[in-house]
Amino acid sequence: MTQPEKPQDLIFVESLVNLGLAMGVLITVEGVETEAHIALLREMKINYLQGYAIARPMEAEAVADFVRSFVLGVGDADTPMLALYQHLGWVRAAAESVMNHEDYEHTELAACPITTWLHAHASELPEVETSLAEHETVHILGREILQVRQSGTREELHRLLGQLHGHSHRFQEGLGQAVKDMRDNAAVAKAQPPPSENTH
């Protein structure tokens, strides 16, 4: 498994996982190589993980001791894809509430994992204010859907749903590009030689 870099990657992985869960099959993800992988896949309720993040190849006689002592960690939760996955959970719930005429539990902006992640990495993210504003708009629309569910019309709900999908898509695209730029900038900075010190 390669770490999902774009929201589309995350949606693709999630779709495969949901297909397996719907069919009632046990899911094993191979190539789990980072703590970020573990955090995301645990959130997706994957049954089995395999990869270097779990263990490196070992001699047969070492397996018994490894199994007795192994404890799977929670993984590194400081990843935008994990936060985005959690964020998209309530966005989907809002959309389903419109289609199924049911209420849903709205996640407030301050409690959304993406809010925490964006603020934690604000100094590294290009155009972070744009991402924050688009993210806030998505939450405002989610709250409006909940309110209109109480007293509004079906036409109003579908109008809000269209806006929710549009802003959510723009936010995901913008976040994906911002994270890519952030990582590219970090790689360039790491590759640059340290400044030389003039000694006289």
Side-chain angles (χ1 to χ4, degrees):
M1 173 181 177
T2 57
Q3 177 67 22
E5 296 289 339
K6 302 186 294 295
Q8 296 92 329
D9 298 337
L10 177 63
I11 293 169
F12 178 72
V13 172
E14 184 187 15
S15 297
L16 292 178
V17 170
N18 287 339
L19 176 62
L21 293 175
M23 296 174 64
V25 300
L26 295 178
I27 300 171
T28 300
V29 176
E30 299 180 349
V32 180
E33 298 185 355
T34 68
E35 290 294 307
H37 286 164
I38 292 176
L40 180 60
L41 295 169
R42 283 174 68 101
E43 186 74 13
M44 289 185 175
K45 313 300 184 190
I46 300 299
N47 302 111
Y48 300 105
L49 310 178
Q50 180 274 325
Y52 285 168
I54 310 300
R56 295 277 175 169
M58 64 184 73
E59 299 294 335
E61 55 269 21
V63 172
D65 287 340
F66 168 77
V67 171
R68 279 194 293 267
S69 61
F70 175 73
V71 177
L72 180 64
V74 297
D76 178 11
D78 186 24
T79 164
M81 290 300 107
L82 174 59
L84 181 61
Y85 176 74
Q86 295 166 334
H87 163 85
L88 290 176
W90 77 258
V91 173
R92 281 191 297 273
E96 289 171 3
S97 78
V98 173
M99 305 307 296
N100 301 329
H101 310 291
E102 298 174 351
D103 288 337
Y104 78 100
E105 186 175 344
H106 179 69
T107 299
E108 296 297 341
L109 180 65
C112 184
I114 277 287
T115 300
T116 303
W117 193 89
L118 286 172
H119 283 291
H121 296 273
S123 62
E124 309 162 63
L125 284 168
E127 301 185 17
V128 66
E129 293 301 326
T130 301
S131 294
L132 285 167
E134 200 69 68
H135 180 231
E136 182 176 4
T137 299
V138 173
H139 278 267
I140 290 172
L141 288 167
R143 169 58 66 186
E144 288 184 14
I145 284 175
L146 195 59
Q147 293 170 344
V148 171
R149 281 280 306 119
Q150 308 300 323
S151 57
T153 65
R154 179 175 296 184
E155 289 73 20
E156 288 178 285
L157 279 173
H158 282 276
R159 176 182 58 80
L160 289 171
L161 180 59
Q163 293 178 358
L164 178 70
H165 282 156
H167 282 282
S168 181
H169 179 73
R170 283 193 291 274
F171 169 68
Q172 293 172 51
E173 288 291 311
L175 178 65
Q177 186 60 52
V179 170
K180 180 182 182 301
D181 292 344
M182 179 183 75
R183 290 175 175 163
D184 288 347
N185 293 340
V188 169
K190 186 176 181 180
Q192 291 178 344
S196 58
E197 296 182 3
N198 293 325
T199 56
H200 298 285

